[in-house]
Coordinates of all heavy atoms in Angstrom, one line a residue:
T1 N 2.1 -19.5 -5.8 CA 0.8 -18.9 -6.3 C 0.1 -18.1 -5.2 O 0.0 -18.6 -4.0 CB -0.2 -20.1 -6.7 OG1 0.4 -20.8 -7.7 CG2 -1.5 -19.5 -7.2
V2 N -0.2 -16.9 -5.4 CA -0.9 -16.1 -4.5 C -2.4 -16.0 -4.9 O -2.7 -15.6 -6.0 CB -0.3 -14.7 -4.4 CG1 -1.1 -13.8 -3.4 CG2 1.2 -14.7 -4.1
L3 N -3.3 -16.4 -4.0 CA -4.7 -16.4 -4.2 C -5.3 -15.2 -3.4 O -5.1 -15.3 -2.1 CB -5.4 -17.7 -3.9 CG -4.8 -18.9 -4.6 CD1 -5.5 -20.2 -4.1 CD2 -5.0 -18.8 -6.1
Y4 N -5.9 -14.3 -4.0 CA -6.4 -13.1 -3.2 C -7.7 -12.6 -3.8 O -8.0 -12.8 -4.9 CB -5.4 -12.0 -3.2 CG -5.2 -11.3 -4.5 CD1 -5.8 -10.1 -4.7 CD2 -4.5 -11.9 -5.6 CE1 -5.7 -9.4 -5.9 CE2 -4.4 -11.3 -6.8 CZ -5.0 -10.0 -7.0 OH -4.9 -9.4 -8.2
Q5 N -8.5 -12.1 -2.9 CA -9.8 -11.5 -3.3 C -9.7 -10.0 -3.6 O -10.3 -9.5 -4.5 CB -10.9 -11.8 -2.3 CG -12.3 -11.6 -2.8 CD -13.3 -12.2 -1.9 OE1 -13.1 -12.5 -0.8 NE2 -14.5 -12.4 -2.5
D6 N -9.0 -9.3 -2.7 CA -8.8 -7.9 -2.9 C -7.6 -7.5 -2.1 O -6.8 -8.3 -1.6 CB -10.0 -7.1 -2.5 CG -10.5 -7.4 -1.1 OD1 -9.6 -7.6 -0.2 OD2 -11.7 -7.4 -0.8
G7 N -7.3 -6.2 -2.0 CA -6.2 -5.7 -1.3 C -6.4 -5.5 0.2 O -5.5 -5.0 0.9
G8 N -7.5 -6.0 0.7 CA -7.8 -5.9 2.1 C -7.7 -4.5 2.6 O -8.0 -3.5 1.9
S9 N -7.3 -4.3 3.8 CA -7.3 -3.0 4.5 C -6.3 -2.1 3.8 O -6.5 -0.8 3.7 CB -7.1 -3.1 6.0 OG -5.8 -3.7 6.2
L10 N -5.2 -2.6 3.3 CA -4.2 -1.8 2.7 C -4.7 -1.1 1.4 O -4.5 0.1 1.2 CB -2.9 -2.6 2.3 CG -1.8 -1.9 1.6 CD1 -1.2 -0.8 2.5 CD2 -0.7 -2.9 1.2
G11 N -5.5 -1.9 0.6 CA -6.0 -1.3 -0.6 C -7.0 -0.2 -0.4 O -7.3 0.6 -1.3
K12 N -7.5 -0.1 0.9 CA -8.5 1.0 1.2 C -7.9 2.1 1.9 O -8.6 3.1 2.3 CB -9.6 0.4 2.1 CG -10.4 -0.8 1.4 CD -11.4 -1.3 2.3 CE -12.2 -2.5 1.7 NZ -11.4 -3.7 1.6
T13 N -6.6 2.1 2.2 CA -5.9 3.1 2.9 C -5.6 4.3 2.1 O -4.9 4.1 1.0 CB -4.6 2.6 3.6 OG1 -4.9 1.4 4.4 CG2 -3.9 3.6 4.4
D14 N -6.0 5.5 2.5 CA -5.8 6.7 1.7 C -4.3 7.1 1.6 O -3.8 7.5 0.6 CB -6.7 7.8 2.2 CG -6.5 9.1 1.4 OD1 -6.7 9.1 0.2 OD2 -6.1 10.1 2.0
K15 N -3.7 7.1 2.8 CA -2.3 7.7 2.8 C -1.4 6.9 3.8 O -1.9 6.6 4.9 CB -2.3 9.1 3.2 CG -1.0 9.8 3.2 CD -1.1 11.2 3.8 CE -2.0 12.1 2.9 NZ -2.0 13.5 3.4
I16 N -0.2 6.5 3.4 CA 0.7 5.9 4.3 C 2.0 6.7 4.3 O 2.6 7.0 3.2 CB 1.1 4.4 3.7 CG1 -0.2 3.6 3.8 CG2 2.2 3.8 4.6 CD1 0.0 2.2 3.1
E17 N 2.4 7.1 5.5 CA 3.7 7.9 5.6 C 4.6 7.4 6.7 O 5.6 8.0 7.0 CB 3.3 9.4 5.8 CG 2.6 9.6 7.1 CD 2.3 11.1 7.3 OE1 2.6 11.9 6.4 OE2 1.7 11.5 8.3
N18 N 4.3 6.2 7.3 CA 5.1 5.6 8.3 C 5.8 4.3 7.9 O 6.2 3.5 8.7 CB 4.3 5.4 9.6 CG 3.2 4.5 9.4 OD1 2.8 4.1 8.3 ND2 2.5 4.1 10.5
Y19 N 5.9 4.1 6.6 CA 6.5 2.9 6.1 C 7.9 3.2 5.5 O 8.0 4.2 4.8 CB 5.7 2.1 5.0 CG 6.3 0.8 4.6 CD1 6.4 -0.2 5.6 CD2 6.7 0.6 3.3 CE1 7.0 -1.4 5.2 CE2 7.2 -0.6 2.9 CZ 7.4 -1.6 3.9 OH 7.9 -2.8 3.5
F20 N 8.9 2.5 5.9 CA 10.3 2.8 5.5 C 10.5 2.9 4.0 O 10.0 2.2 3.2 CB 11.2 1.7 6.1 CG 12.7 1.9 5.7 CD1 13.5 2.7 6.4 CD2 13.2 1.2 4.6 CE1 14.8 2.9 6.1 CE2 14.5 1.4 4.3 CZ 15.3 2.2 5.0
G21 N 11.3 4.0 3.6 CA 11.8 4.0 2.3 C 11.1 5.0 1.4 O 11.5 5.2 0.2
F22 N 10.0 5.7 1.8 CA 9.3 6.6 1.0 C 9.3 8.0 1.6 O 8.8 8.2 2.7 CB 7.8 6.1 0.8 CG 7.7 4.8 0.0 CD1 7.6 3.6 0.7 CD2 7.7 4.8 -1.3 CE1 7.6 2.4 0.1 CE2 7.6 3.6 -2.0 CZ 7.5 2.4 -1.3
A23 N 10.0 8.9 0.9 CA 10.1 10.3 1.4 C 8.8 11.0 1.5 O 8.5 11.8 2.4 CB 11.1 11.1 0.5
E24 N 7.9 10.7 0.6 CA 6.5 11.3 0.5 C 5.5 10.2 0.8 O 5.7 9.1 0.4 CB 6.3 12.0 -0.8 CG 7.3 13.1 -1.1 CD 7.1 14.3 -0.1 OE1 6.0 14.5 0.3 OE2 8.1 14.9 0.1
P25 N 4.3 10.6 1.3 CA 3.3 9.6 1.5 C 2.8 9.0 0.2 O 2.9 9.7 -0.8 CB 2.2 10.5 2.2 CG 2.8 11.7 2.7 CD 4.0 11.9 1.8
L26 N 2.3 7.8 0.3 CA 1.7 7.2 -0.9 C 0.4 6.5 -0.4 O 0.2 6.2 0.8 CB 2.6 6.3 -1.6 CG 2.9 4.9 -1.0 CD1 3.7 4.0 -2.0 CD2 3.8 5.0 0.3
S27 N -0.5 6.2 -1.4 CA -1.7 5.5 -1.0 C -1.4 4.0 -0.8 O -0.5 3.5 -1.4 CB -2.7 5.7 -2.1 OG -2.4 5.0 -3.3
G28 N -2.4 3.4 -0.1 CA -2.2 1.9 0.1 C -2.4 1.2 -1.3 O -1.7 0.2 -1.5
A29 N -3.2 1.7 -2.1 CA -3.4 1.1 -3.5 C -2.1 1.1 -4.3 O -1.8 0.1 -5.0 CB -4.5 1.8 -4.2
E30 N -1.4 2.2 -4.2 CA -0.1 2.3 -4.9 C 0.9 1.4 -4.3 O 1.7 0.7 -5.1 CB 0.4 3.8 -4.8 CG 1.7 4.0 -5.7 CD 2.2 5.4 -5.6 OE1 1.5 6.3 -5.0 OE2 3.2 5.7 -6.2
L31 N 1.0 1.3 -3.0 CA 2.0 0.4 -2.4 C 1.7 -1.0 -2.7 O 2.5 -1.8 -3.0 CB 2.0 0.6 -0.9 CG 3.0 -0.2 -0.1 CD1 4.4 0.1 -0.5 CD2 2.8 0.0 1.4
L32 N 0.4 -1.3 -2.7 CA -0.1 -2.7 -3.1 C 0.3 -3.0 -4.5 O 0.8 -4.1 -4.8 CB -1.6 -2.8 -2.9 CG -2.2 -4.2 -3.0 CD1 -1.8 -5.1 -1.9 CD2 -3.8 -4.0 -3.0
A33 N 0.1 -2.1 -5.5 CA 0.4 -2.3 -6.9 C 1.9 -2.6 -7.1 O 2.3 -3.4 -7.9 CB -0.1 -1.1 -7.7
R34 N 2.7 -1.8 -6.3 CA 4.2 -2.0 -6.4 C 4.5 -3.4 -5.9 O 5.4 -4.1 -6.5 CB 4.9 -0.9 -5.6 CG 4.7 0.5 -6.2 CD 5.6 1.5 -5.5 NE 5.4 2.8 -5.9 CZ 6.2 3.8 -5.7 NH1 7.3 3.6 -4.9 NH2 6.0 5.0 -6.1

């Protein structure tokens, strides 16, 4: 069981381009949803 209030700092991040496996940048909210 995961108990969470929100996505924290990741959910507020506009663009991520230094995480392995994504050729194009994606938002923190999108990565969180995945």
Side-chain angles (χ1 to χ4, degrees):
T1 302
V2 180
L3 305 175
Y4 71 102
Q5 193 165 20
D6 53 36
S9 58
L10 178 61
K12 301 179 180 70
T13 303
D14 178 59
K15 184 185 296 184
I16 297 173
E17 60 180 5
N18 61 350
Y19 186 63
F20 176 82
F22 295 94
E24 298 296 329
L26 76 166
S27 70
E30 183 180 357
L31 183 60
L32 188 68
R34 293 187 184 193

